[in-house]
Amino acid sequence: ETYPFPKNNFTFVSAMMVLHHIKDLDFTLREINRVLKKDGFFFIKEHDCFNCIDEMLTDIEHTMYNYVYAKKAQDNFRETYYAKYYNWVYWDIIMHRYGFQFEIGDYISSSINFSVGATREFYGLYKKVKDL
């Protein structure tokens, strides 16, 4: 179903660490484009996975969160878990396809030195430049 908001309703939409869990990314990004005003901003924060090892380690991180960190683990986690990871380059291509232009972004690290690691993340601020 379409989102319960009128077209061109928002000036800012954010999606922090959720897009990789959405099975129908096409629908979601089309809806975000629809409800966002022209020249509005879409902020994303996502994992930065370049290969299958990055993806595997990120899946392990998600699994550990479910079974160790969360207050109540999902009993059916293995059956319901979904994730599709991309890197910052591919996210930029995806955003362009859905009418968004990169404005600013960077890596997020807990270290004062940049390091490549299993839980590498990035953020990007995109401007809506066209309707779909």
Side-chain angles (χ1 to χ4, degrees):
E1 293 183 27
T2 59
Y3 295 170
F5 305 108
K7 183 176 180 177
N8 301 318
N9 192 55
F10 297 104
T11 57
F12 183 82
V13 173
S14 65
M16 295 192 281
M17 304 307 280
V18 297
L19 294 176
H20 60 276
H21 290 297
I22 296 175
K23 288 182 181 179
D24 193 349
L25 194 57
D26 176 68
F27 171 81
T28 299
L29 293 177
R30 285 182 182 281
E31 278 298 287
I32 290 170
N33 180 289
R34 184 184 69 78
V35 301
L36 194 61
K37 293 179 181 179
K38 181 109 189 275
D39 294 327
F41 292 98
F42 181 29
F43 179 83
I44 68 169
K45 177 183 171 191
E46 279 295 324
H47 297 286
D48 188 35
C49 295
F50 275 89
N51 56 48
C52 61
I53 295 171
D54 290 342
E55 293 172 7
M56 178 187 66
L57 292 172
T58 304
D59 278 341
I60 291 170
E61 176 188 34
H62 281 87
T63 304
M64 288 178 67
Y65 177 84
N66 183 70
Y67 288 107
V68 178
Y69 182 74
K71 299 290 184 198
K72 183 177 186 282
Q74 289 177 265
D75 293 333
N76 61 345
F77 177 77
R78 288 180 30 208
E79 290 80 29
T80 60
Y81 178 75
Y82 173 83
K84 176 68 176 148
Y85 308 112
Y86 301 107
N87 58 60
W88 69 270
V89 176
Y90 201 76
W91 274 116
D92 197 51
I93 293 168
I94 291 170
M95 292 296 117
H96 180 70
R97 282 187 200 147
Y98 288 91
F100 299 102
Q101 174 183 300
F102 179 79
E103 292 291 311
I104 189 171
D106 205 349
Y107 290 99
I108 299 170
S109 175
S110 58
S111 169
I112 60 171
N113 298 317
F114 174 77
S115 61
V116 174
T119 57
R120 197 171 51 247
E121 300 169 358
F122 79 97
Y123 69 88
L125 182 65
Y126 294 85
K127 182 190 282 188
K128 178 181 172 182
V129 294
K130 69 176 182 177
D131 289 318
L132 297 181

